[in-house]
Amino acid sequence: MMPQPYNQYQPMDDIKRDIKETAAARSKKLGLPYAGALHPAEAHRLMQAGAKLVDVRTKPELQYVGSIPGALAIEWQTYPGSRPNPEFIGELAAAARKDEPVMFICRSGARSHSAAEAALRAGWQETYNVLEGFEGDKDDQKHRNTVSGWRKAGLPWVQT
């Protein structure tokens, strides 16, 4: 289900409420423990409204694949080796209060799912996973960025 476009004249508080309600219903339907599951466009709108977006991809992914302006970069797994980042919760605590909404994104939505769960267990009250991630699912040729994801949705990103 694709998110509906939001009326530019609709008050931002109403937009935030609508997005959060939709994300919560989606999360419940999927059996997820956290506050909500967001599509990239919904996450972008919440980010514009002040919610924090945490990109949990590795530093090389951010550098070579691209990053989202304004997102916080906190690795879920370290590079090289793909080991859990032992400082993840501490770095998150330094960047976001436990009483503010925090959204997590990765390449496809898997690591960010784990990060949203971990943040919830660590006491963050409102955590979200960005479904589809930055690059989205693979297409028939096993390529990303063509089916879904932040980049495919045409949302802001930069490459260094």
Side-chain angles (χ1 to χ4, degrees):
M1 178 171 92
M2 290 302 296
Q4 296 298 314
Y6 294 96
N7 181 332
Q8 65 181 347
Y9 302 108
Q10 185 178 8
M12 187 55 79
D13 286 343
D14 291 351
I15 293 171
K16 288 189 325 189
R17 184 194 66 241
D18 291 351
I19 291 171
K20 288 180 179 186
E21 286 175 359
T22 300
R26 193 178 293 125
S27 188
K28 184 177 180 180
K29 182 179 178 181
L30 295 171
L32 303 172
Y34 37 80
L38 298 161
H39 287 291
E42 295 167 329
H44 182 247
R45 290 292 289 188
L46 289 179
M47 190 178 177
Q48 290 176 312
K52 297 222 171 152
L53 178 64
V54 177
D55 195 325
V56 301
R57 294 176 296 147
T58 63
K59 289 176 180 74
E61 285 177 287
L62 296 172
Q63 183 175 2
Y64 296 112
V65 179
S67 61
I68 300 167
L72 304 167
I74 304 174
E75 289 182 317
W76 174 248
Q77 296 173 320
T78 60
Y79 179 86
S82 295
R83 289 181 288 266
N85 175 4
E87 303 301 322
F88 179 79
I89 294 298
E91 292 176 30
L92 181 59
R97 297 185 327 267
K98 290 187 176 184
D99 65 346
E100 63 184 330
V102 183
M103 307 173 292
F104 298 91
I105 192 168
C106 64
R107 178 182 63 193
S108 64
R111 286 174 285 176
S112 53
H113 163 78
S114 298
E117 284 185 323
L120 180 66
R121 285 192 307 271
W124 271 265
Q125 298 166 16
E126 197 176 339
T127 65
Y128 297 86
N129 181 29
V130 180
L131 303 171
E132 305 171 18
F134 185 73
E135 295 182 72
D137 297 323
K138 293 179 183 175
D139 64 18
D140 293 340
Q141 274 84 53
K142 307 283 187 217
H143 298 158
R144 295 190 188 272
N145 300 303
T146 62
V147 176
S148 58
W150 186 278
R151 284 174 39 164
K152 173 70 172 138
L155 299 170
W157 66 281
V158 296
Q159 192 162 19
T160 56

